[in-house]
Amino acid sequence: MTVAQAVVEYLSKQYTVDNVGGVDYRERLIPGTFGIFGHGNVAGVGQALKQYQQQDPSLMPYYQGRNEQAQVHQAVGYARHTRRRQTFAISTSIGPGSSNLLTGAALATTNRLPVLLLPSDTFATRVADPVLQQLEQPYAYDLTVNDAFRPLSKFFDRVSRPEQLFSAFHHGLRVLTDPAETGAVTISLPQDVQAEALDVPEEFLAEREWRIRRPEAEDDDIARAAAAIRAAKRPLVIAGGGVLYAYANDELAKFAELTGIPVGNTQAGVGVLPWDHKHSLGAIGSTGTTAANAIAAEADLIIGIGTRYEDFTTASRTAFQNPDVTFININVAPLDAYKHGTSLPIVADARKALVKLNAALGGYRTGADLAEKVAAEKKRWDATVDQAFDTRYTPLPAQNEIIGATNRAMEAADVVICAAGSLPGDLHKMWRVRDPFGYHVEYAYSCMGYEIPGGLGVKRAVLAEAARATAAGGDRADVRDVVVMVGDGSYLMMHTELVTAVAERIKLIVVLIQNHGYASIGSLSESLGSQRFGTRYRALDEEQHSFDTGETLPVDLALNAESLGVKVIRIEPGEKVIAELEQAIRDAKAAPEGSGPILIHVESDPLLDAPSSESWWDVPVAQVSELDSTTQAYGAYADHKSRQRKLLG
Ligand SMILES: Cc1ncc(C[n+]2csc(CCOP(=O)(O)OP(=O)(O)O)c2C)c(N)n1
Ligand SMILES: [Mg+2]
C-alpha cells in the first residue's frame, strides 16, 4: 500500500479510552478527515480516501470545507465539545493550502485543543524543484513553508522517507491524546512520499487504544494544599477549562458546598457551575462580574483549577490586591501548575485532585462574613445584568439586550458560540449558563472568523452525540441547538463555512450583529485615547484619507448569507426588535434537524457598552503624544499600572 493509504487506514483504527469516575468511554479518535485538494494531496491522501470510501464509507468519512483555516476551526470546535476525546485530521495541498492552516494551528495550540494537521509538502526527492508554490530559501535549502508549523505545533514531523511514517504517527498521536501536551499535531507529507508504496507491518494497522491520562494528585501535595486552605481567611477558586476537560464540575460543586469557598470562572471555564449556583461568582477578571472581582481583590488564597491565568483572568495581574495572596494551582500541565511563582503546585487531573481535597478538608468551612459578602455581591451583579437585559433602546438595541433575548430563547442544553469582538467579554460577564456544555467562547486566541466554522464543528459533535444516544435507545429529539453569535467584522472575515453547512444540511443557528465595524476595538481605542481610529466600516473620505467619517457602507450581510443558500430572518430596527429577535430564535430552534443553517440578522448600536467589570486590561498607551486624548489616557494608564502585581512566573 502507499504511504497515504497506510495513513488513512491507520487513522481509522485509532480510539481514545477515557476513564471518568470508573466508567470507560471509548471513541474514535479521528472520526473523519477534512480535505481541500490540490497538487500535493490530490493523488496521495485524496486517492486513499476515495479508495477507502469505495470499500466502506464509514471507514474514514471525508468532509469538505471552503477554507483550510476554517477546517481547523471545525476540528477545534469538535474537540472542545468532545472534551478532547476526538478531533479531525485535515489534509491540504502544498504551499498556500498548507500555510492557510497556520492560524488554525496557533489557535488549537493556544487553546490546548487537539487537531491533526497533514499539510502536503514539496518533493522529498527534489526531482522537479522548484514546483509550483514552492518556497525557495537560498540560506536553507531544506526549508519549506511547512517549517512555519514548528513554533505553532505541539508536535512536528516530516515523513521524508516512507518508513518514517510509523514513528511520526505513533508519537504524533501520543501528543494529540495527552491532556498536558495536546494542541496542533502537524505531520508534513511530501507529495511524492504520499504516493510511494511500502510494506506496512500488520501491527501498525491494528486497532489501537489511547488511554487519556488522568494523573492522581500526590498525597503530600494535597496535605500541604489542605493546610493552606484551612489557614486562609478569604480563599477563592478560579476555575478554568481544565475543570470541564476533567469532568470535574460535580466535584467542584461539592468542594464549594462543603467548604463555602466561592468560585470565579475564566472564559474557558464558563459552565463549571450554573450561573445561579450559591457559590458561583461568575466570570472573573477584565471581563468579569463585579462580584468575582470584588472577592478576588481581597482574597488571600487563590485556588486555580485548570486555568492558564491569561491576562483577562488576572486583569493583567491587578485582580489580586491582598499583599499576602498565595496560589494553589491544580493543573494537569506543569507549565500552568507552577504559574505565579507558587510553592503549592498540584500536577494532576482536576477531578482526581478535587476528590482528594474534598476528603482532606472534612469539617472546614469559610467564615460567615465571606458568605455574606458573596451573597451581597452576587445580588448586586444580578441586578446589574437584569437591568442590562431590560429592553430600553430603540430603534437600535444595545448588544446587552440582544444577549438577553438570545439567552432567554435558548434552552439549558443549547450551546452558544463566539470568539472575537465585543461579544466575548459581554457574554463572559452576562451569559446565564445552565449546562457544562452550554458555552463555548474561543478566547485563548480570540480569532475573528472562528465563530461560524467553530460552531459548525460543535454542531457536528452534537449530532454525533445524539446519534450515539439514539443508538443506545435514547430520544433523537434531544439534539442540542448550537447558536453562533457573531459580529459583522468576524462574519466578513470568515463566513464561507455556511456553504459547508448548506451542503450537509446542518442546522446551525447564527445571530449576526451588524454594527458597521468594530465596536470592541472602537471602545478600546477610545479608552486609550486613539479616538476609535480605523474601527468603523465607512466609505473613504479621500480629502482626509479617513475611513471614520464617510457614509455607512451599503453592505447587506443578510442578502450575502441568502446568496449562499442560508435561510435568513431579518429583524428590522424599531420598537419590537428584541421581542422579534427572541421569537426568531425560537422559530429557528423549531426548524427540524437536517434543514440547513439559519441566520438571524439584527442591527445594534455600537456605542452602548456592557456594564463595567470594575476591572482593567493592560494595553499600553503612548507615553508621549501630540493628541490630548492620548495624553489624558496615559494618566489613567499610569494609575492602573501602579496596581499591577509583580507576581513571579
Ligand atoms: C484575526 C483577527 N484579527 C484581528 C483581531 C483584533 N480584533 C478583535 S475584535 C475585532 C473587531 C471585531 O468586529 P466585529 O466582529 O464586528 O465585532 P464588534 O467589535 O463590532 O462587536 C478585531 C479587529 C482579532 N481578534 N482576530
Ligand atoms: Mg461589528
Side-chain angles (χ1 to χ4, degrees):
M1 63 188 357
T2 66
V3 166
Q5 289 158 5
V7 167
V8 170
E9 189 163 335
Y10 169 83
L11 292 179
S12 74
K13 304 274 178 62
Q14 308 303 309
Y15 291 84
T16 50
V17 175
D18 191 7
N19 187 288
V20 179
V23 181
D24 265 348
Y25 297 86
R26 187 177 190 266
E27 311 284 1
R28 260 183 80 161
L29 171 60
I30 308 289
T33 298
F34 282 103
I36 293 179
F37 297 112
H39 88 102
N41 62 342
V42 65
V45 172
Q47 188 280 338
L49 286 168
K50 172 66 194 164
Q51 183 171 310
Y52 286 105
Q53 179 208 53
Q54 207 150 299
Q55 254 174 41
D56 175 358
S58 70
L59 195 82
M60 180 50 77
Y62 158 70
Y63 293 94
Q64 282 181 332
R66 274 66 202 169
N67 173 301
E68 290 85 356
Q69 183 191 131
Q71 293 179 321
V72 190
H73 295 342
Q74 288 195 59
V76 165
Y78 199 95
R80 159 93 183 173
H81 195 78
T82 61
R83 301 293 190 244
R84 310 199 280 212
R85 289 174 180 161
Q86 297 182 286
T87 186
F88 279 83
I90 297 151
S91 166
T92 74
S93 62
I94 73 155
S98 294
S99 56
N100 256 6
L101 293 175
L102 289 168
T103 297
L107 182 149
T109 295
T110 310
N111 278 280
R112 318 274 170 87
L113 284 166
V115 294
L116 179 60
L117 308 181
L118 306 176
S120 295
D121 215 331
T122 47
F123 281 79
T125 58
R126 303 183 180 174
V127 64
D129 281 12
V131 298
L132 174 71
Q133 302 168 324
Q134 179 165 342
L135 179 82
E136 292 184 281
Q137 286 287 17
Y139 68 88
Y141 220 63
D142 64 341
L143 264 184
T144 78
V145 290
N146 286 1
D147 286 287
F149 285 95
R150 290 177 188 271
L152 307 179
S153 303
K154 295 305 285 267
F155 178 89
F156 178 90
D157 200 1
R158 178 180 283 117
V159 181
S160 300
R161 287 186 57 87
E163 305 86 328
Q164 293 170 343
L165 167 72
F166 313 125
S167 55
F169 277 83
H170 186 69
H171 286 284
L173 268 59
R174 165 180 63 77
V175 172
L176 198 67
T177 55
D178 181 340
E181 278 293 307
T182 198
V185 167
T186 305
I187 301 177
S188 177
L189 298 173
Q191 54 178 334
D192 47 351
V193 179
Q194 280 183 44
E196 219 172 303
L198 84 163
D199 287 331
V200 179
E202 265 173 38
E203 196 191 338
F204 183 69
L205 298 176
E207 276 193 6
R208 177 180 287 273
E209 289 181 350
W210 300 86
R211 194 161 274 281
I212 293 181
R213 195 178 311 123
R214 299 205 174 274
E216 286 284 1
E218 290 191 24
D219 291 338
D220 283 356
D221 287 343
I222 292 291
R224 277 156 29 91
I229 293 170
R230 285 180 190 279
K233 296 262 172 318
R234 297 220 163 235
L236 167 69
V237 167
I238 297 183
V243 172
L244 296 173
Y245 299 135
Y247 295 87
N249 35 303
D250 289 349
E251 283 303 325
L252 177 65
K254 209 156 125 188
F255 176 85
E257 284 152 22
L258 197 79
T259 62
I261 300 177
V263 178
N265 56 260
T266 70
Q267 273 279 14
V270 178
V272 294
L273 295 175
W275 74 277
D276 52 356
H277 187 282
K278 187 175 167 200
H279 300 290
S280 172
L281 296 164
I284 195 156
S286 309
T287 52
T289 69
T290 51
N293 289 336
I295 302 292
E298 296 176 358
D300 57 355
L301 176 67
I302 303 294
I303 307 159
I305 313 177
T307 175
R308 47 193 285 271
Y309 288 111
E310 193 197 28
D311 66 349
F312 267 80
T313 302
T314 67
S316 303
R317 302 195 179 197
T318 60
F320 319 119
Q321 287 296 319
N322 187 322
D324 300 323
V325 69
T326 55
F327 296 82
I328 294 171
N329 299 330
I330 302 172
N331 209 297
V332 74
L335 169 66
D336 299 312
Y338 279 79
K339 280 180 180 170
H340 291 335
T342 186
S343 52
L344 292 171
I346 302 180
V347 179
D349 174 75
R351 189 174 174 282
K352 289 187 172 167
L354 279 167
V355 168
K356 282 195 177 178
L357 260 185
N358 284 341
L361 284 169
Y364 165 80
R365 251 198 108 68
T366 54
D369 58 328
L370 182 59
E372 272 165 35
K373 178 147 184 170
V374 166
E377 290 288 354
K378 255 179 92 65
K379 204 167 152 198
R380 175 163 82 102
W381 178 253
D382 288 349
T384 304
V385 176
D386 283 344
Q387 201 183 21
F389 282 179
D390 209 18
T391 309
R392 266 176 302 165
Y393 297 101
T394 54
L396 288 184
Q399 188 161 279
N400 306 328
E401 300 168 30
I402 294 174
I403 291 172
T406 310
N407 195 251
R408 286 192 296 274
M410 284 170 64
E411 290 169 89
D414 294 344
V415 194
V416 69
I417 312 288
C418 196
S422 55
L423 276 164
D426 298 1
L427 290 169
H428 189 209
K429 63 176 83 165
M430 292 191 287
W431 191 256
R432 291 177 160 174
V433 71
R434 289 167 284 167
D435 184 282
F437 288 88
Y439 183 96
H440 171 100
V441 174
E442 185 285 291
Y443 210 62
Y445 213 52
S446 187
C447 182
M448 286 172 78
Y450 174 83
E451 298 85 348
I452 289 172
L456 188 54
V458 172
K459 186 68 192 204
R460 287 184 190 282
V462 162
L463 290 168
E465 165 188 77
R468 270 197 299 271
T470 311
D475 183 356
R476 184 73 212 247
D478 284 344
V479 183
R480 299 168 192 266
D481 273 310
V482 175
V483 178
V484 171
M485 297 193 77
V486 62
D488 56 316
S490 267
Y491 180 90
L492 281 171
M493 207 169 273
M494 194 179 290
H495 59 268
T496 44
E497 290 317 294
L498 284 172
V499 178
T500 306
V502 168
E504 296 184 43
R505 302 172 201 88
I506 296 175
K507 183 186 154 199
L508 181 71
I509 303 171
V510 179
V511 175
L512 165 59
I513 302 181
Q514 171 60 279
N515 57 19
H516 300 280
Y518 307 155
S520 50
I521 311 298
S523 155
L524 180 66
S525 167
E526 192 170 310
S527 73
L528 305 176
S530 298
Q531 304 176 20
R532 294 188 177 254
F533 177 70
T535 63
R536 297 178 176 95
Y537 284 153
R538 297 285 160 86
L540 175 64
D541 172 343
E542 296 197 17
E543 214 165 289
Q544 298 292 318
H545 192 79
S546 169
F547 292 97
D548 295 334
T549 49
E551 68 272 20
T552 304
L553 305 179
V555 174
D556 185 341
L557 297 180
L559 201 58
N560 172 274
E562 228 156 38
S563 77
L564 303 176
V566 177
K567 184 172 178 304
V568 171
I569 307 174
R570 286 169 191 266
I571 311 294
E572 299 299 339
E575 295 275 301
K576 298 205 181 102
V577 173
I578 293 302
E580 285 174 13
L581 171 67
E582 212 173 312
Q583 189 54 47
I585 297 169
R586 290 182 202 282
D587 291 347
K589 276 180 57 58
E593 289 302 330
S595 58
I598 302 166
L599 181 138
I600 301 164
H601 181 278
V602 60
E603 291 190 46
S604 176
D605 184 337
L607 300 180
L608 299 170
D609 290 335
S612 167
S613 291
E614 295 172 10
S615 185
W616 182 64
W617 183 38
D618 191 345
V619 180
V621 177
Q623 242 174 333
V624 292
S625 112
E626 305 286 314
L627 302 175
D628 284 348
S629 60
T630 310
T631 311
Q632 265 174 28
Y634 187 75
Y637 179 72
D639 187 40
H640 282 295
K641 281 300 268 187
S642 68
R643 282 196 282 278
Q644 206 160 32
R645 299 288 303 274
K646 290 182 177 47
L647 299 164
L648 292 178

PDB file of all heavy atoms in Angstrom, residues 293-313:
ATOM      1  N   ASN A 293     -14.768  40.066  40.967  1.00  0.00           N
ATOM      2  CA  ASN A 293     -13.620  40.960  41.086  1.00  0.00           C
ATOM      3  C   ASN A 293     -13.492  41.570  42.493  1.00  0.00           C
ATOM      4  O   ASN A 293     -12.378  41.765  42.981  1.00  0.00           O
ATOM      5  CB  ASN A 293     -13.680  42.031  40.000  1.00  0.00           C
ATOM      6  CG  ASN A 293     -13.380  41.428  38.630  1.00  0.00           C
ATOM      7  OD1 ASN A 293     -12.711  40.385  38.539  1.00  0.00           O
ATOM      8  ND2 ASN A 293     -13.877  42.039  37.572  1.00  0.00           N
ATOM      9  N   ALA A 294     -14.628  41.824  43.134  1.00  0.00           N
ATOM     10  CA  ALA A 294     -14.563  42.362  44.500  1.00  0.00           C
ATOM     11  C   ALA A 294     -13.983  41.309  45.450  1.00  0.00           C
ATOM     12  O   ALA A 294     -13.154  41.610  46.318  1.00  0.00           O
ATOM     13  CB  ALA A 294     -15.961  42.773  44.970  1.00  0.00           C
ATOM     14  N   ILE A 295     -14.383  40.061  45.276  1.00  0.00           N
ATOM     15  CA  ILE A 295     -13.889  38.991  46.160  1.00  0.00           C
ATOM     16  C   ILE A 295     -12.410  38.719  45.856  1.00  0.00           C
ATOM     17  O   ILE A 295     -11.599  38.521  46.769  1.00  0.00           O
ATOM     18  CB  ILE A 295     -14.730  37.695  45.976  1.00  0.00           C
ATOM     19  CG1 ILE A 295     -16.215  37.951  46.261  1.00  0.00           C
ATOM     20  CG2 ILE A 295     -14.176  36.555  46.812  1.00  0.00           C
ATOM     21  CD1 ILE A 295     -16.576  38.258  47.694  1.00  0.00           C
ATOM     22  N   ALA A 296     -12.043  38.748  44.567  1.00  0.00           N
ATOM     23  CA  ALA A 296     -10.656  38.480  44.174  1.00  0.00           C
ATOM     24  C   ALA A 296      -9.715  39.532  44.765  1.00  0.00           C
ATOM     25  O   ALA A 296      -8.603  39.215  45.190  1.00  0.00           O
ATOM     26  CB  ALA A 296     -10.526  38.463  42.656  1.00  0.00           C
ATOM     27  N   ALA A 297     -10.168  40.776  44.804  1.00  0.00           N
ATOM     28  CA  ALA A 297      -9.306  41.860  45.273  1.00  0.00           C
ATOM     29  C   ALA A 297      -8.832  41.614  46.708  1.00  0.00           C
ATOM     30  O   ALA A 297      -7.716  41.971  47.078  1.00  0.00           O
ATOM     31  CB  ALA A 297     -10.051  43.189  45.179  1.00  0.00           C
ATOM     32  N   GLU A 298      -9.688  40.970  47.533  1.00  0.00           N
ATOM     33  CA  GLU A 298      -9.335  40.758  48.946  1.00  0.00           C
ATOM     34  C   GLU A 298      -8.818  39.355  49.235  1.00  0.00           C
ATOM     35  O   GLU A 298      -8.397  39.068  50.357  1.00  0.00           O
ATOM     36  CB  GLU A 298     -10.586  40.986  49.808  1.00  0.00           C
ATOM     37  CG  GLU A 298     -11.093  42.415  49.751  1.00  0.00           C
ATOM     38  CD  GLU A 298     -12.397  42.586  50.531  1.00  0.00           C
ATOM     39  OE1 GLU A 298     -12.900  41.578  51.078  1.00  0.00           O
ATOM     40  OE2 GLU A 298     -12.878  43.727  50.583  1.00  0.00           O
ATOM     41  N   ALA A 299      -8.878  38.470  48.251  1.00  0.00           N
ATOM     42  CA  ALA A 299      -8.545  37.059  48.505  1.00  0.00           C
ATOM     43  C   ALA A 299      -7.111  36.896  49.006  1.00  0.00           C
ATOM     44  O   ALA A 299      -6.192  37.556  48.514  1.00  0.00           O
ATOM     45  CB  ALA A 299      -8.742  36.254  47.229  1.00  0.00           C
ATOM     46  N   ASP A 300      -6.948  36.008  50.014  1.00  0.00           N
ATOM     47  CA  ASP A 300      -5.586  35.727  50.483  1.00  0.00           C
ATOM     48  C   ASP A 300      -5.060  34.401  49.929  1.00  0.00           C
ATOM     49  O   ASP A 300      -3.892  34.087  50.069  1.00  0.00           O
ATOM     50  CB  ASP A 300      -5.504  35.745  52.017  1.00  0.00           C
ATOM     51  CG  ASP A 300      -6.452  34.761  52.683  1.00  0.00           C
ATOM     52  OD1 ASP A 300      -7.257  34.120  51.967  1.00  0.00           O
ATOM     53  OD2 ASP A 300      -6.400  34.628  53.921  1.00  0.00           O
ATOM     54  N   LEU A 301      -5.970  33.614  49.314  1.00  0.00           N
ATOM     55  CA  LEU A 301      -5.531  32.355  48.708  1.00  0.00           C
ATOM     56  C   LEU A 301      -6.344  32.120  47.432  1.00  0.00           C
ATOM     57  O   LEU A 301      -7.578  32.086  47.479  1.00  0.00           O
ATOM     58  CB  LEU A 301      -5.751  31.188  49.678  1.00  0.00           C
ATOM     59  CG  LEU A 301      -5.414  29.804  49.112  1.00  0.00           C
ATOM     60  CD1 LEU A 301      -3.910  29.662  48.859  1.00  0.00           C
ATOM     61  CD2 LEU A 301      -5.891  28.699  50.051  1.00  0.00           C
ATOM     62  N   ILE A 302      -5.648  31.990  46.330  1.00  0.00           N
ATOM     63  CA  ILE A 302      -6.312  31.663  45.061  1.00  0.00           C
ATOM     64  C   ILE A 302      -6.056  30.187  44.774  1.00  0.00           C
ATOM     65  O   ILE A 302      -4.900  29.739  44.752  1.00  0.00           O
ATOM     66  CB  ILE A 302      -5.743  32.503  43.890  1.00  0.00           C
ATOM     67  CG1 ILE A 302      -5.853  34.011  44.168  1.00  0.00           C
ATOM     68  CG2 ILE A 302      -6.418  32.132  42.562  1.00  0.00           C
ATOM     69  CD1 ILE A 302      -7.248  34.558  44.242  1.00  0.00           C
ATOM     70  N   ILE A 303      -7.144  29.465  44.574  1.00  0.00           N
ATOM     71  CA  ILE A 303      -7.012  28.056  44.188  1.00  0.00           C
ATOM     72  C   ILE A 303      -7.373  27.984  42.702  1.00  0.00           C
ATOM     73  O   ILE A 303      -8.548  27.977  42.328  1.00  0.00           O
ATOM     74  CB  ILE A 303      -7.954  27.168  45.037  1.00  0.00           C
ATOM     75  CG1 ILE A 303      -7.714  27.439  46.525  1.00  0.00           C
ATOM     76  CG2 ILE A 303      -7.760  25.681  44.685  1.00  0.00           C
ATOM     77  CD1 ILE A 303      -8.881  27.043  47.414  1.00  0.00           C
ATOM     78  N   GLY A 304      -6.340  28.008  41.874  1.00  0.00           N
ATOM     79  CA  GLY A 304      -6.566  27.962  40.421  1.00  0.00           C
ATOM     80  C   GLY A 304      -6.719  26.511  39.990  1.00  0.00           C
ATOM     81  O   GLY A 304      -5.858  25.682  40.288  1.00  0.00           O
ATOM     82  N   ILE A 305      -7.813  26.207  39.335  1.00  0.00           N
ATOM     83  CA  ILE A 305      -8.035  24.819  38.902  1.00  0.00           C
ATOM     84  C   ILE A 305      -8.240  24.807  37.388  1.00  0.00           C
ATOM     85  O   ILE A 305      -9.203  25.382  36.881  1.00  0.00           O
ATOM     86  CB  ILE A 305      -9.270  24.186  39.592  1.00  0.00           C
ATOM     87  CG1 ILE A 305      -9.236  24.452  41.097  1.00  0.00           C
ATOM     88  CG2 ILE A 305      -9.333  22.691  39.301  1.00  0.00           C
ATOM     89  CD1 ILE A 305     -10.437  23.923  41.861  1.00  0.00           C
ATOM     90  N   GLY A 306      -7.307  24.178  36.679  1.00  0.00           N
ATOM     91  CA  GLY A 306      -7.442  24.054  35.221  1.00  0.00           C
ATOM     92  C   GLY A 306      -7.436  25.397  34.518  1.00  0.00           C
ATOM     93  O   GLY A 306      -8.141  25.585  33.536  1.00  0.00           O
ATOM     94  N   THR A 307      -6.642  26.338  35.023  1.00  0.00           N
ATOM     95  CA  THR A 307      -6.560  27.653  34.368  1.00  0.00           C
ATOM     96  C   THR A 307      -5.121  27.961  33.970  1.00  0.00           C
ATOM     97  O   THR A 307      -4.187  27.558  34.659  1.00  0.00           O
ATOM     98  CB  THR A 307      -7.096  28.788  35.256  1.00  0.00           C
ATOM     99  OG1 THR A 307      -6.869  30.041  34.592  1.00  0.00           O
ATOM    100  CG2 THR A 307      -6.435  28.830  36.626  1.00  0.00           C
ATOM    101  N   ARG A 308      -4.984  28.675  32.841  1.00  0.00           N
ATOM    102  CA  ARG A 308      -3.642  29.091  32.413  1.00  0.00           C
ATOM    103  C   ARG A 308      -3.366  30.549  32.799  1.00  0.00           C
ATOM    104  O   ARG A 308      -2.358  31.121  32.408  1.00  0.00           O
ATOM    105  CB  ARG A 308      -3.454  28.856  30.919  1.00  0.00           C
ATOM    106  CG  ARG A 308      -4.576  29.335  30.055  1.00  0.00           C
ATOM    107  CD  ARG A 308      -4.469  28.798  28.629  1.00  0.00           C
ATOM    108  NE  ARG A 308      -3.431  29.483  27.894  1.00  0.00           N
ATOM    109  CZ  ARG A 308      -3.618  30.599  27.195  1.00  0.00           C
ATOM    110  NH1 ARG A 308      -4.808  31.178  27.142  1.00  0.00           N
ATOM    111  NH2 ARG A 308      -2.641  31.156  26.549  1.00  0.00           N
ATOM    112  N   TYR A 309      -4.273  31.146  33.584  1.00  0.00           N
ATOM    113  CA  TYR A 309      -4.080  32.512  34.095  1.00  0.00           C
ATOM    114  C   TYR A 309      -3.761  33.515  32.991  1.00  0.00           C
ATOM    115  O   TYR A 309      -2.789  34.280  33.081  1.00  0.00           O
ATOM    116  CB  TYR A 309      -2.968  32.549  35.147  1.00  0.00           C
ATOM    117  CG  TYR A 309      -3.311  31.920  36.468  1.00  0.00           C
ATOM    118  CD1 TYR A 309      -2.699  30.735  36.877  1.00  0.00           C
ATOM    119  CD2 TYR A 309      -4.229  32.499  37.328  1.00  0.00           C
ATOM    120  CE1 TYR A 309      -2.987  30.158  38.101  1.00  0.00           C
ATOM    121  CE2 TYR A 309      -4.532  31.934  38.560  1.00  0.00           C
ATOM    122  CZ  TYR A 309      -3.903  30.766  38.941  1.00  0.00           C
ATOM    123  OH  TYR A 309      -4.183  30.207  40.158  1.00  0.00           O
ATOM    124  N   GLU A 310      -4.577  33.517  31.962  1.00  0.00           N
ATOM    125  CA  GLU A 310      -4.440  34.514  30.904  1.00  0.00           C
ATOM    126  C   GLU A 310      -4.627  35.914  31.497  1.00  0.00           C
ATOM    127  O   GLU A 310      -5.245  36.062  32.559  1.00  0.00           O
ATOM    128  CB  GLU A 310      -5.552  34.235  29.877  1.00  0.00           C
ATOM    129  CG  GLU A 310      -5.396  34.961  28.568  1.00  0.00           C
ATOM    130  CD  GLU A 310      -6.693  34.976  27.764  1.00  0.00           C
ATOM    131  OE1 GLU A 310      -7.785  34.921  28.371  1.00  0.00           O
ATOM    132  OE2 GLU A 310      -6.598  35.031  26.538  1.00  0.00           O
ATOM    133  N   ASP A 311      -4.138  36.935  30.804  1.00  0.00           N
ATOM    134  CA  ASP A 311      -4.226  38.282  31.398  1.00  0.00           C
ATOM    135  C   ASP A 311      -5.672  38.736  31.642  1.00  0.00           C
ATOM    136  O   ASP A 311      -5.930  39.517  32.558  1.00  0.00           O
ATOM    137  CB  ASP A 311      -3.431  39.323  30.587  1.00  0.00           C
ATOM    138  CG  ASP A 311      -3.977  39.582  29.190  1.00  0.00           C
ATOM    139  OD1 ASP A 311      -4.856  38.823  28.729  1.00  0.00           O
ATOM    140  OD2 ASP A 311      -3.511  40.555  28.550  1.00  0.00           O
ATOM    141  N   PHE A 312      -6.616  38.241  30.849  1.00  0.00           N
ATOM    142  CA  PHE A 312      -8.016  38.603  31.118  1.00  0.00           C
ATOM    143  C   PHE A 312      -8.481  38.023  32.456  1.00  0.00           C
ATOM    144  O   PHE A 312      -9.332  38.594  33.129  1.00  0.00           O
ATOM    145  CB  PHE A 312      -8.938  38.124  29.984  1.00  0.00           C
ATOM    146  CG  PHE A 312      -9.137  39.180  28.938  1.00  0.00           C
ATOM    147  CD1 PHE A 312      -8.179  39.410  27.972  1.00  0.00           C
ATOM    148  CD2 PHE A 312     -10.277  39.973  28.944  1.00  0.00           C
ATOM    149  CE1 PHE A 312      -8.340  40.406  27.025  1.00  0.00           C
ATOM    150  CE2 PHE A 312     -10.451  40.973  27.999  1.00  0.00           C
ATOM    151  CZ  PHE A 312      -9.477  41.186  27.034  1.00  0.00           C
ATOM    152  N   THR A 313      -7.930  36.878  32.835  1.00  0.00           N
ATOM    153  CA  THR A 313      -8.318  36.247  34.101  1.00  0.00           C
ATOM    154  C   THR A 313      -7.763  37.028  35.286  1.00  0.00           C
ATOM    155  O   THR A 313      -8.439  37.221  36.295  1.00  0.00           O
ATOM    156  CB  THR A 313      -7.796  34.785  34.126  1.00  0.00           C
ATOM    157  OG1 THR A 313      -8.347  34.093  33.009  1.00  0.00           O
ATOM    158  CG2 THR A 313      -8.166  34.087  35.416  1.00  0.00           C
TER     159      THR A 313
END
